[in-house]
Amino acid sequence: MAKKPAKSAASSGGKKKGGLASGLGMLVMGVPLVILFLPTVVLLMFAMLPTVVAYMVERGPHRYGFICVGGLNFAGVAPYLLNMWFERHDITMTLDILSNVFALMMIYGAAAFGWLLYTATPSLVGSFLSLTSSRRIAALKAQQRKLIEDWGPEVMQSDEDIGSEAASKGPATVGGGAMR
């Protein structure tokens, strides 16, 4: 039995150091960015609350509700975010947006529309599939009637009818011997 190669000290230590270095790098880069973009962070923190709730509430593996609510929630906050970026990027502009009732209705209304879309879509798709399958069944029955008219009622026999006829006739014989 062959021995497994021993792990080198560099490969095992590199992963731990890389993880620590990565976390430290994120901290060193993240803190100044949060301070520099504080008005944006504050606006997104309060405006994207429905997305955070959707992420925490949904338990499915794909989290489609989070995607649907998050996308529409961000679409609701994007005009105000862009307005803030191109006019005044300060905390007073953020507080003006967050204290504007129309802006909050627009932002949270878009998120509510995301929830509505997420909850209504499965039933709409189910209804659509039901209608299309019933139309397909009707088309197949019309095609079956046409085949019966063209070929006669023998084509209407099911596999069970054919199997019961074969069983009642007995085993098939080829060259004088029974097939098994």
Side-chain angles (χ1 to χ4, degrees):
M1 187 155 139
K3 285 186 171 182
K4 292 183 181 178
K7 291 184 180 180
S8 66
S11 67
S12 64
K15 289 183 181 180
K16 291 180 183 177
K17 189 175 181 182
L20 181 63
S22 175
L24 188 61
M26 293 293 278
L27 187 66
V28 167
M29 293 291 289
V31 170
L33 285 176
V34 166
I35 293 170
L36 184 63
F37 297 111
L38 186 64
T40 299
V41 171
V42 170
L43 178 65
L44 288 177
M45 188 174 65
F46 285 107
M48 299 296 282
L49 281 175
T51 304
V52 173
V53 170
Y55 183 78
M56 287 193 277
V57 167
E58 193 172 21
R59 301 203 185 272
H62 301 291
R63 297 191 185 261
Y64 294 124
F66 162 70
I67 293 169
C68 191
V69 172
L72 287 172
N73 191 196
F74 188 74
V77 77
Y80 300 102
L81 190 61
L82 290 172
N83 191 25
M84 185 176 70
W85 285 346
F86 290 115
E87 283 186 19
R88 293 185 344 247
H89 190 255
D90 58 357
I91 203 72
T92 58
M93 181 73 169
T94 303
L95 294 176
D96 287 344
I97 293 170
L98 290 176
S99 63
N100 185 354
V101 176
F102 179 73
L104 289 177
M105 285 183 59
M106 187 74 133
I107 293 166
Y108 292 140
F113 186 71
W115 275 115
L116 178 72
L117 191 65
Y118 173 68
T119 56
T121 301
S123 61
L124 290 174
V125 169
S127 299
F128 176 75
L129 290 176
S130 175
L131 288 173
T132 56
S133 64
S134 63
R135 288 191 60 147
R136 176 81 174 138
I137 289 170
L140 287 173
K141 285 186 179 183
Q143 186 180 8
Q144 183 182 29
R145 281 192 297 272
K146 186 177 181 316
L147 284 173
I148 291 170
E149 289 173 8
D150 291 345
W151 293 89
E154 293 85 24
V155 295
M156 203 169 75
Q157 286 182 336
S158 68
D159 290 339
E160 295 169 357
D161 295 338
I162 295 170
S164 63
E165 285 179 13
S168 65
K169 290 182 181 178
T173 57
V174 175
M179 286 182 48
R180 293 183 188 194

